[in-house]
Structures are given as structure tokens and as C-alpha cells.
Amino acid sequence: MKLALMWGVVALMLPTASFSSEVSDVNTELLENYAKHAQYLDVKISPEGDYLAATSRNPDGNVQLTVIDINESKILSVTQGQGNESVGSFNWANNDRLVMTMVREIGSLDAPIPTGEIFAMDANGKRQEILTGPRSDSGEYVFAQIVDFLPEDPDAIMIYQRSFTSAEPYLDLYTMKVTSGRKRAEGRIPLRAYRSTNVQVVLDDKGVSRLVLGIDPDDGNKIQILGRDGADQEWYEVMSYYEDEGGFTPLGWLPGTNQVIGLSDSQSDTRALSILDMDTKKESVMAEHPEVDLMPIAAVKNGRSTEIIGAAFEYDGIGTFFFDGVKDETYAKLVQSLVATFPNQSVSINSSTHDNQKLVIRVESANQPATFYMFDRELGKLTLIANTRPWMQGHEFPQTKTIFYKSRDGLDIHAVLTLPKGKEAKDLPLILLPHGGPHGPRDTVTRMDSDAKVLAEHGYAVLQPNFRGSGGFGREFLELGYKNWGTTMINDMTDGVMHLVEEGIADPDRVCVYGASYGGYAAVQSGIREPDLYKCIVGFVGVYDLNLMYEQGDIQQAQAGRNYLDQVLPSAEEGREAQSPVHNVDKLKAPVFIIQGGADVRVPKEHAYRLRDALKERNHPYEWLFKEGEGHGFYKPENNVERWQQMLTFFDKYIGE
């Protein structure tokens, strides 16, 4: 359950919210460190290795682009947007010129919103051009998106454009010069950009658009893949399928072949690495994991993927494997050595020179903030570029690990457990923290979760279960959650708590539950289904009335969203009511803390109001924190500090020492 946030903050505190402004047992300085947005977001090296470009936050919180001359060790340029505009994505079109998109960064639990404009400039900040959109020389009122950086043509990129005014526009492909914005038409994609759906374009190794994937919400969110045999050829249907049937998602073309590499669950339950032969339209599976989805590891040269050399996955930890007999053994050994250098962390090659002699590596995990390194293959030297959260450098974090347990009906459940520092893992106060979504997202040890760390820093064990319906564990596991938001999905969470109790890790008399978005729903619903287990409940931007999802919020505004709701929620209004917390608060025993943003368009504030009113009507104890200008999650660091302070005071009141 995600969307972007709005700026501006006004606190509305009802009389029932009687928190002290001084929280004696809360480490406010530590909360401020966790609440700060990452300083460094992305780092990329130029194709010939002369420059580094990096996005970072300025003191106002906006994202700027800095270019550094590597040989001279000096800053060449610093570029930032106007007002609340930030630099979004960026890449090197060639060794001297950068292309970037701008965003309005008004969200914390979601991606920033692109403006639809594309910009270009030289490494030294000169020859700046707005290439598309109403502020460009053409003045076209269109939304543009970069499709490919065309390493075969270093002075051009491929984009698609769509109308700002059409509700269901077609997409027009262009090759565009990065100096002038001049465009050459490459044809129209015969798929519409329906609201709440995306269109994916896949180029072959010659830079020709050969495949497109889109979703038709008027046919039950049917996925369509179209192909063509060349730049001037007609598009034809390669395949179509409904998501719950399983199918193929293209990722890239295998050089010198008529084959496409992709992820597929058409022949397996989990998403396997698969090859689609465009001549026969037949798939062949390269590799699959029986429990979890795979992601490909590709060899890269001259800016293009050349072959698949292995796969990454997460099951009982962060794992990789590599294929025998690959053509580029040197590159495969390089990746393997980097993975071995950073055990138990997610390692990715963020960018590289065209000859692969210098690479920018990104390393992160649940126990280590993301860090960028430069690896010089000729010197065999690894150099630190930047820690995304430098103020946390050297900090001893509470440790997060993977655990497994059985649900009451026999499912194997994967979960993430964070334990407090300096305490024996015995009879600890526990906070259950279910993730949002709920379908698609999963909790992971590949990246840090600030909520879990903050709670563990203050003495709480934190359990994040990947209950049925979570993504990454196969289609069958995902679909087991459909229609069961408030029933068997909740059982999986409870079973995780009881597993920790049976293991002696958690104190059964000191358990609370907290979550955001769907997790906020699950927190209150857990208290309804297990009133004697949970001593307190925190719901943050939560869904509390399933029928209201058909009336308010941005999901129901698009046909694709309504199709999704029909798929995952109980079919009948009565069934949705039976699984809605607002209609079942009489079963609650634990006090409830409701946290909401007034500008939330994904889960409108009416959900929080209805839950609050239902609790007030029954004189049920509750607390209330409302920020008028915040959206689906709090954006401003000071608001998250306040939220954590009040949550920790709430938890300490009911399950603290």
C-alpha cells in the first residue's frame, strides 16, 4: 500500500494524546540519526573513467548532482533543481555528458514523483539543456521517460513520450540527441499507458526496440507482450497471460541471438531464470530455486549485458550461484571475488567503465547501511567512495537475521528477527512488525529497516514475518493471501510470535504489535483476533475499513486498481466487513495508538477517523498522532523522531521493564 507524500506539517493532537514532551528513556540523538534521509543516493563512473557523478542531499533535503574529476580530485560541478525539485535518475550518455530526470521528492514510503522532463549537461555543468517537456525549446506538453542510453550511439538516448492530457495515451518512441533534444521517430507502441500501469520496452543488442510489455486493465489486468523483427517492422503479439496464471517477464536480449532472457513462473511456482526463443516462442528454464525467486547476475561490457553468469536470491541468507562454462570467465570471477569480499551482504556493480577496468560497487545489508566503493582492477584496489549514512559510520547496530517457523496449517514461514544489543535472547519484550503491501513486498536482510533498528536499540526484539501473500516465495504462496487479509495471514503472524515464545526468546506477557499501511491494518486486526496476546497496538497510516477502499483513495480511481481489489479482498461486502477492524473493535482489549498523515491519498485519513470514532464510542483507550501535511508515511525527519518518541513511550508503558 504505497504512494507519494505531500509537504507541510501541522500537528493535531486530541486531548486523549497525553504524551510528555520529554522522553527520559528514549535516545533522541539516536532517533535523529535514524530519521535523517540518506546523504548519498547513487554514484556512477563515466565510460572512460575520468569522472564520478553522485547524487546527494543538500542541507535543505533536496537531491543534487555532483561531478568529480577523478584524476584531479576536484569538484567540477554541482547541479540542483528549483524549489522542491530534486535530481532523480541520472546516467552518463558518453564520457563527457550526463542525462538526468527531475523529480518532486514528496514521499518517504514511496518513490519520488518524476516531472516527465529530461535534462542534459556536460560534466563541468555547462551546456545545460532541457530536452523534453513544456520548459524545453519544443515546448511540448508531454511526459517523457528514458528507455535506453544507447551505448552504441554515445550522442543519443532512446525515450518514449506520452500525452499529459490523454487519460489512456499511446507511447511514441524516439531516438533523441543529448546535445540538442532533436528527435527521430521510432514508431508508436501499440499499448496504452493506462493509469496505475507501466509499459516496459526492451531493446536488442543493436539498440533496436524489439519487445514491449503492458497491462490491459479492461481485460482483468491481462499482461500483453508484443514483439517485432526490426525497427521498421509491424508489432505482433508474442504472448498474453493473466498474472495469476504465471508468465514471462523480459529483461534483455542475448547478444547475437534471437533470444530474450527473463524471469518466468510459467513453468515453475517461483520466478526462474528463463530464455524465450523468439523464433519458436518457446521458453527454456536456465535455473530455478524451489523456495524463492531468482534475480539474474549479468556480465556487462561496453554498457550492455553480454550474458547471464549466475543468479542472486535470498532464503536462509543472502545467496548467489554462478554458472559453469560462461564465455566471460574473467568477469564472472570478478563478481565472485567481490561477493566473497563482503559476506552476508548484498553486492551489486552500480556502474563501470566500458572496458570494466574501474567499477563502482554498492554494498548493503540489514546490518550495514549502503556503501559505495571504487574497484580498480588493474591495481587490484578497493577504495571507499561514500557511506550513504556517514553519521552512522562505526555505530554498533542491533543485529538482524533470518529465521524460519511453521504456521499452524504447515506452511514454512520465512521471517526476519532483530534482537537488542547487550541482552540475552531470553524472555525479551517483543514487537511484531508486519510489512505493508501486502502482496509483492517482503521483509529482507538485504537492506536496513529503520523501524526495526530503532525499536531494537531501545531493548525490544522485533519480528518481521513474511506471512502468506508476501512476495518472493512463489505464486502459490502469494495467492494464499488473497481474500485472507484478516484471517490466515494474521494467523501466520501470530504463529511467529508463539514460535519465539516457545523458543524462550519472547516473554508472552510482553508482546505488542505495530505496522504501517497494510501493516497498520494487520496490527489492529491481530489485536482483534488475539485479544489476550497483545498488550498494545500501533497502527500507522493503516487501512481499517476494507469497504472504504472501494470508495476513497487512489487505488480505486483506476480500473487496474479496482481489478486488484477484486482479486485480493473478499468478494462480498459482508466478507470485507467481517475482516475490517472498524467493525470489530468490541473484540479488542489492548490500547491502540493511531498515527496518520492528513494528506495521505493511498490510505485517506477517513480510515483513521473511523477507527478513532469506533474506539471513542466504546470508551476504548487510544492515543492519537495526526500530521496534517504528511502523506502515506512521514517525510520530515523531525516528524519521524516525534513518532518514534511517542511510540517508544507507548510501548514502554505497556511492555517495558
Side-chain angles (χ1 to χ4, degrees):
M1 313 288 295
K2 299 183 178 180
L3 199 71
L5 313 185
M6 303 285 290
W7 283 96
V9 176
V10 178
L12 299 179
M13 301 294 292
L14 296 190
T16 51
S18 54
F19 290 104
S20 169
S21 60
E22 296 182 3
V23 185
S24 58
D25 294 330
V26 174
N27 187 334
T28 301
E29 182 181 357
L30 187 61
L31 298 188
E32 290 172 347
N33 285 339
Y34 275 106
K36 286 181 185 178
H37 299 301
Q39 182 172 350
Y40 297 99
L41 284 76
D42 200 3
V43 181
K44 291 176 180 173
I45 192 168
S46 61
E48 294 177 20
D50 295 319
Y51 312 113
L52 277 178
T55 42
S56 61
R57 293 187 189 276
N58 62 25
D60 296 329
N62 288 353
V63 178
Q64 61 190 21
L65 180 67
T66 302
V67 181
I68 298 170
D69 185 313
I70 296 175
N71 298 318
E72 299 292 332
S73 298
K74 68 177 183 181
I75 295 175
L76 284 183
S77 62
V78 178
T79 304
Q80 61 188 51
Q82 300 176 354
N84 69 341
E85 285 187 353
S86 286
V87 177
S89 62
F90 73 93
N91 211 335
W92 292 94
N94 53 52
N95 194 60
D96 299 303
R97 194 154 178 82
L98 285 149
V99 177
M100 70 195 83
T101 62
M102 303 300 288
V103 298
R104 293 186 177 92
E105 189 163 349
I106 50 177
S108 64
L109 293 187
D110 199 15
I113 304 210
T115 65
E117 297 169 307
I118 299 173
F119 294 69
M121 71 173 193
D122 288 348
N124 60 9
K126 297 180 179 179
R127 293 202 301 160
Q128 295 188 6
E129 296 286 343
I130 303 176
L131 302 177
T132 66
R135 292 186 289 182
S136 68
D137 288 342
S138 69
E140 293 178 289
Y141 199 64
V142 293
F143 182 98
Q145 183 167 317
I146 299 169
V147 171
D148 196 276
F149 282 90
L150 299 178
E152 305 84 11
D153 186 352
D155 294 324
I157 60 174
M158 183 169 288
I159 68 168
Y160 69 59
Q161 288 185 176
R162 61 177 172 82
S163 166
F164 262 125
T165 57
S166 174
E168 298 177 351
Y170 286 108
L171 305 178
D172 294 309
L173 280 170
Y174 296 93
T175 297
M176 182 173 67
K177 292 294 183 183
V178 296
T179 50
S180 63
R182 292 181 60 185
K183 300 192 297 287
R184 182 180 73 241
E186 302 289 352
R188 169 165 285 185
I189 300 173
L191 291 175
R192 293 183 183 273
Y194 294 101
R195 182 170 180 172
S196 297
T197 70
N198 295 312
V199 174
Q200 175 188 355
V201 183
V202 180
L203 275 60
D204 65 17
D205 57 314
K206 301 296 191 297
V208 178
S209 55
R210 296 281 303 279
L211 279 180
V212 293
L213 179 149
I215 299 173
D216 184 359
D218 293 327
D219 193 7
N221 289 5
K222 191 174 189 178
I223 297 171
Q224 298 175 302
I225 299 178
L226 306 182
R228 61 178 177 176
D229 297 326
D232 299 319
Q233 303 298 309
E234 294 295 320
W235 292 96
Y236 58 87
E237 183 172 281
V238 176
M239 65 174 67
S240 62
Y241 57 90
Y242 297 103
E243 191 172 20
D244 58 3
E245 297 175 343
F248 180 85
T249 301
L251 298 176
W253 222 271
L254 291 177
T257 74
N258 206 24
Q259 296 178 329
V260 181
I261 187 72
L263 296 174
S264 177
D265 55 1
S266 65
Q267 301 176 47
S268 58
D269 183 55
T270 56
R271 304 195 83 185
L273 292 183
S274 184
I275 295 175
L276 174 65
D277 189 300
M278 290 295 292
D279 294 324
T280 65
K281 308 301 183 292
K282 300 292 185 182
E283 284 184 54
S284 57
V285 174
M286 293 180 65
E288 64 178 287
H289 192 292
E291 305 293 342
V292 290
D293 295 347
L294 296 178
M295 287 298 295
I297 300 174
V300 177
K301 191 171 184 180
N302 295 325
R304 287 273 184 223
S305 297
T306 57
E307 64 177 322
I308 302 302
I309 59 175
F313 61 93
E314 181 186 354
Y315 186 53
D316 54 356
I318 299 171
T320 57
F321 64 81
F322 295 86
F323 297 125
D324 292 328
V326 298
K327 296 177 182 177
D328 196 341
E329 291 185 5
T330 302
Y331 194 94
K333 289 178 180 178
L334 166 67
V335 177
Q336 291 178 66
S337 67
L338 290 170
V339 170
T341 301
F342 299 99
N344 303 316
Q345 298 194 65
S346 174
V347 180
S348 58
I349 296 176
N350 208 56
S351 70
S352 63
T353 56
H354 275 181
D355 61 7
N356 289 328
Q357 288 303 303
K358 294 180 180 178
L359 306 98
V360 175
I361 315 300
R362 180 184 173 105
V363 181
E364 65 182 316
S365 75
N367 298 312
Q368 176 63 46
T371 304
F372 293 99
Y373 296 90
M374 171 85 78
F375 182 62
D376 188 316
R377 293 177 68 181
E378 183 178 354
L379 300 177
K381 185 178 179 181
L382 192 68
T383 306
L384 174 68
I385 298 174
N387 189 316
T388 56
R389 298 176 179 271
W391 54 87
M392 302 292 277
Q393 191 81 32
H395 179 72
E396 182 186 354
F397 292 97
Q399 292 299 288
T400 300
K401 64 180 181 180
T402 298
I403 66 169
F404 293 89
Y405 61 89
K406 286 278 189 184
S407 70
R408 65 192 66 182
D409 56 357
L411 280 181
D412 289 318
I413 304 295
H414 173 286
V416 174
L417 176 65
T418 304
L419 296 173
K421 299 176 294 188
K423 288 190 175 185
E424 183 183 0
K426 182 178 180 182
D427 293 328
L428 294 171
L430 174 68
I431 296 172
L432 169 66
L433 175 51
H435 62 71
H439 305 296
R442 60 170 293 180
D443 286 307
T444 175
V445 294
T446 63
R447 60 183 179 273
M448 187 172 290
D449 185 303
S450 294
D451 271 328
K453 294 299 189 189
V454 163
L455 297 173
E457 293 273 15
H458 290 82
Y460 297 101
V462 182
L463 175 66
Q464 297 172 271
N466 283 309
F467 43 83
R468 70 191 70 199
S470 301
F473 298 93
R475 193 171 67 251
E476 181 180 353
F477 189 84
L478 179 80
E479 293 173 2
L480 284 173
Y482 292 176
K483 316 290 186 184
N484 295 311
W485 281 25
T487 55
T488 52
M489 289 168 68
I490 304 297
N491 290 347
D492 290 346
M493 304 173 204
T494 304
D495 294 342
V497 171
M498 298 315 299
H499 169 78
L500 295 182
V501 169
E502 291 164 5
E503 292 287 310
I505 296 173
D507 182 344
D509 296 321
R510 291 195 295 163
V511 182
C512 286
V513 55
Y514 153 66
S517 197
Y518 168 81
Y521 164 90
V524 181
Q525 187 69 4
S526 291
I528 288 168
R529 289 181 65 85
E530 304 291 342
D532 295 319
L533 177 60
Y534 299 104
K535 307 307 177 188
C536 64
I537 300 163
V538 179
F540 181 28
V541 294
V543 174
Y544 306 119
D545 187 338
L546 299 186
N547 283 318
L548 187 60
M549 295 186 73
Y550 280 91
E551 301 169 14
Q552 294 189 17
D554 68 325
I555 296 177
Q556 54 83 35
Q557 293 174 358
Q559 183 60 51
R562 293 190 292 273
N563 293 342
Y564 168 80
L565 294 177
D566 289 341
Q567 182 181 42
V568 303
L569 295 182
S571 301
E573 185 174 329
E574 295 79 9
R576 295 192 292 270
E577 187 172 302
Q579 293 189 41
S580 294
V582 293
H583 297 293
N584 293 280
V585 294
D586 57 314
K587 299 180 178 69
L588 281 172
K589 291 184 180 180
V592 180
F593 182 13
I594 306 169
I595 307 174
Q596 181 65 34
D600 193 342
V601 296
R602 176 54 51 93
V603 179
K605 58 190 175 184
E606 182 63 24
H607 283 272
Y609 289 156
R610 289 189 180 187
L611 178 60
R612 181 197 63 182
D613 293 346
L615 295 172
K616 285 176 65 175
E617 184 179 334
R618 291 161 179 79
N619 293 316
H620 190 92
Y622 75 94
E623 308 287 359
W624 178 260
L625 177 62
F626 189 89
K627 295 292 184 181
E628 184 63 48
E630 292 281 17
H632 198 54
F634 287 179
Y635 177 77
K636 287 200 169 181
E638 59 266 32
N639 287 340
N640 281 312
V641 170
E642 180 183 353
R643 173 174 67 87
W644 282 330
Q645 286 176 328
Q646 297 193 9
M647 285 170 54
L648 287 163
T649 301
F650 185 74
F651 290 137
D652 188 58
K653 179 178 179 180
Y654 294 103
I655 62 171
E657 298 290 349

